[in-house]
Amino acid sequence: GDPLALGRSLPRIAYGVDPGITVSRIHTLAGVVEGVQAVFRGLGAAFSGLGTVVLILALMGVYAVLSFEVSRRRREIGIRVALGASPRDVVQPLLLRVGIYVGLGAVLGGILAVGVVATARAMVQMRLPGTGLPLFGGLALLVLLAAASATVTPALRALRVPPGKALQGD
C-alpha cells in the first residue's frame, strides 16, 4: 500500500519503543531521491550557465590578446607582406601561438574535469549521467573551435595591413 499511510501511526509506534524519539517528518525513499536529483539538476544548470559565461569571457580574451599581438607586430607584418610573404606565412605564427595555449588549456581542463567527476562519483556513490569521454572530448573540441573562430577577425586584419602604411611608423 501507500507507505505514507503508515506515517500517521509511526510517531505512536516510535514513542512506544522509546519515549525520547520524536518523529517530525516522514518521507519516502523515492521522494528523497527525487529531491537529491533536483538539487543535482539545479547545480548542473548553474554550472552550465557559468561554463557558458566563462567560455564567452575566454573567447573575448583570446580575441583581445590576438588583436593586441597584431597591432604590436604591425610593422613586422607590413615588412613581411612587402617582401612577398604569403598570407599563410603571415598568419601562421599568430595562430600557432594561440592554438598551443588553447590546446594545452583544453587538455589540462579535460584532465581536471575527469578528476572532479571521479571525485564526485566517489562522494555521491551513484552513476552521474553524461560524464564520459564523449562529453569531455566534445567540450574540448568546442573550446578549440570557439578559440579558432575568435582568431579569424584579428588574423584577417593582419592580412589587410598595407605595407606602406605599416612602414611609415607610429
Side-chain angles (χ1 to χ4, degrees), residues 4-158:
L4 292 178
L6 181 64
R8 291 183 212 104
S9 60
L10 192 59
R12 186 174 28 85
I13 295 169
Y15 184 78
V17 172
D18 183 0
I21 295 177
T22 304
V23 178
S24 58
R25 288 183 273 176
I26 300 172
H27 302 282
T28 62
L29 182 59
V32 171
V33 168
E34 185 177 317
V36 170
Q37 286 176 341
V39 168
F40 278 119
R41 279 192 297 272
L43 287 174
F47 284 130
S48 294
L50 184 64
T52 302
V53 169
V54 168
L55 179 63
I56 290 169
L57 289 174
L59 292 177
M60 290 169 57
V62 167
Y63 178 83
V65 167
L66 197 57
S67 292
F68 175 73
E69 185 76 16
V70 167
S71 66
R72 193 175 64 102
R73 296 175 75 181
R74 184 175 177 184
R75 180 171 280 185
E76 174 196 343
I77 291 169
I79 291 171
R80 293 175 111 201
V81 169
L83 292 175
S86 70
R88 188 176 134 263
D89 292 336
V90 172
V91 174
Q92 186 177 14
L94 300 171
L95 297 181
L96 185 63
R97 179 187 239 163
V98 171
I100 289 172
Y101 290 139
V102 170
L104 184 63
V107 168
L108 291 177
I111 292 170
L112 181 65
V114 168
V116 167
V117 167
T119 303
R121 277 188 184 148
M123 290 173 58
V124 177
Q125 294 184 353
M126 63 189 227
R127 185 179 173 277
L128 299 175
T131 55
L133 187 61
L135 173 71
F136 294 128
L139 288 175
L141 183 63
L142 175 67
V143 168
L144 291 173
L145 290 174
S149 68
T151 59
V152 168
T153 303
L156 291 176
R157 192 171 7 150

